[in-house]
Amino acid sequence: MNRKDIWFRPLRQAVYSVRSFASTSPALYLAFARRRYRDVPDRVVEADTELVIEGFQRSGNTFSVIAFEVAQPRQVKTAHHLHAAAQIVEAVRLGVPTIVLIREPRGSVLSHMVREPGISASQALTAWVRFYERILPLRDRVVVADFSEVTTDVGAVIARVNERYGTAFAEFDHTPDEVARVFALIEDRNRIRYGAVSETTVPRPSTERDERKDALRSQFQADRLARLRDRAFMVYRSLVPSATVT
């Protein structure tokens, strides 16, 4: 039976909530992550990490990481894909250059719910708010990159990293050919992981996933979540002052 089957939903939701709470604390979460990913060299930040790229799920994480990797003339030690604010907090403490990826709450949460079936809109939205509220006090010590920028000009994000931290990372050339190259690598990795390209998990545009998000939209827009939605959008505008989304 698949771990995401409905019979496991109560347990899955409980585990999700615990993980979401713990993931804001370096002391709690990073010790666990280092054990879990002890054989994965690019997952958890260390003192010699050169760049952290981190954000809530479905915020352009995989695209940003692969675009950065293909642009570099050498292998750069990075840390990414924990989807935990604890990773960012620790990176700032260590003085490691850090990109915080963010996507407006509606698009991020709906896509996240497709990726994590069985998780409620309330849980997903609470996790989003918890993640980025933990980052708010650090916003002047990191480079915040909105999904709209990541998906149109990763090179500009890398340029801001170089300007802020005095690094000399190569900038991604955001041309159609290079973007297609990144998407091809994303599909290859998704195929290796799942045996075939999974439209609910592959981190690139997907018509099927958009249709599933539309079906979940009413849950996100529920009246009982109005206050939590307002809180999320307030946090989003604080981190992305130029945002106009409502």
Side-chain angles (χ1 to χ4, degrees):
M1 182 178 292
N2 190 289
R3 68 183 177 90
K4 296 180 180 179
D5 282 347
I6 192 171
W7 300 106
F8 287 93
R9 183 171 294 177
L11 175 60
R12 179 170 171 72
Q13 290 183 340
V15 170
Y16 181 91
S17 293
V18 170
R19 189 264 179 198
S20 170
F21 176 80
S23 67
T24 63
S25 168
L28 286 175
Y29 196 74
L30 295 188
F32 159 77
R34 288 191 176 99
R35 288 194 300 271
R36 180 177 182 182
Y37 300 111
R38 57 185 175 273
D39 297 323
V40 182
D42 58 352
R43 194 55 57 93
V44 184
V45 63
E46 303 290 351
D48 61 344
T49 300
E50 296 179 75
L51 179 68
V52 168
I53 303 175
E54 194 62 79
F56 194 76
Q57 284 192 7
R58 320 313 288 185
S59 301
N61 291 270
T62 301
F63 183 86
S64 299
V65 169
I66 295 181
F68 176 82
E69 289 175 348
V70 301
Q72 304 314 305
R74 64 175 180 88
Q75 186 171 355
V76 176
K77 184 172 183 180
T78 59
H80 50 84
H81 278 90
L82 273 194
H83 306 302
Q87 174 107 290
I88 299 165
V89 175
E90 181 68 1
V92 169
R93 186 187 74 81
L94 292 171
V96 176
T98 303
I99 298 172
V100 176
L101 303 172
I102 187 170
R103 183 179 184 179
E104 57 85 13
R106 183 182 295 104
S108 181
V109 166
L110 290 175
S111 189
H112 181 55
M113 289 173 69
V114 173
R115 176 66 176 78
E116 301 290 340
I119 302 305
S120 71
S122 176
Q123 282 186 296
L125 190 53
T126 297
W128 190 99
V129 170
R130 183 177 286 136
F131 184 108
Y132 290 106
E133 282 189 337
R134 186 68 175 91
I135 305 307
L136 275 174
L138 308 175
R139 58 187 161 184
D140 293 331
R141 302 176 65 184
V142 299
V143 170
V144 178
D146 188 44
F147 185 76
S148 61
E149 181 180 20
V150 166
T151 54
T152 56
D153 195 356
V154 175
V157 177
I158 299 172
R160 288 197 285 123
V161 170
N162 289 336
E163 180 179 2
R164 173 177 289 276
Y165 297 104
T167 50
F169 298 127
E171 297 174 22
F172 179 72
D173 188 10
H174 211 114
T175 63
D177 286 346
E178 287 301 299
V179 170
R181 179 186 176 195
V182 171
F183 282 148
L185 288 169
I186 287 173
E187 290 200 356
D188 286 346
R189 296 184 188 188
N190 191 261
R191 191 176 292 109
I192 290 170
R193 182 174 181 180
Y194 296 101
V197 175
S198 169
E199 291 298 324
T200 60
T201 61
V202 63
R204 53 103 171 107
S206 166
T207 300
E208 179 180 334
R209 193 163 58 245
D210 286 344
E211 292 172 353
R212 296 193 184 195
K213 284 192 291 185
D214 286 342
L216 294 167
R217 200 171 300 273
S218 61
Q219 295 182 37
F220 180 85
Q221 293 297 139
D223 290 343
R224 65 185 180 85
L225 296 181
R227 186 170 297 178
L228 187 57
R229 281 196 308 274
D230 289 345
R231 183 174 163 189
F233 280 104
M234 181 177 67
V235 171
Y236 176 64
R237 294 188 193 97
S238 295
L239 289 169
V240 188
S242 61
T244 58
V245 66
T246 59

